[in-house]
Amino acid sequence: MFHIHGTRDETVPFKWGSKLYTISKSKFDPWWVEGAGHLDIIANHEDEYLQRMRDFFAFCEQKPQA
């Protein structure tokens, strides 16, 4: 699971996104976007968003180690 959350999200507070990440025990690092709100991450960080999504997809395709 890949968690992306803006630190200034007023719709879904950042603390909830952070808590969800902790509860999920995700093995993929979250992306906490400093200063981002609820719907502006892709618009303001498109290149980084695309790279992080590529990284996440690559992570998902890895075979589990025995």
Side-chain angles (χ1 to χ4, degrees):
M1 186 177 296
F2 182 24
H3 298 266
I4 302 171
H5 208 107
T7 60
R8 294 204 173 183
D9 189 332
E10 294 180 4
T11 304
V12 179
F14 174 71
K15 66 181 180 179
W16 292 1
S18 179
K19 178 128 180 133
L20 180 60
Y21 170 70
T22 301
I23 292 169
S24 76
K25 299 181 181 177
S26 176
K27 295 181 179 175
F28 192 79
D29 290 337
W31 180 27
W32 307 137
V33 187
E34 285 295 323
H38 189 69
L39 295 173
D40 60 354
I41 292 173
I42 296 172
N44 295 326
H45 305 276
E46 183 178 5
D47 291 340
E48 186 172 2
Y49 172 80
L50 292 172
Q51 185 56 55
R52 286 179 181 263
M53 291 305 295
R54 285 185 202 100
D55 294 345
F56 176 64
F57 293 142
F59 173 82
C60 292
E61 291 175 346
Q62 292 176 359
K63 294 184 181 184
Q65 295 183 4

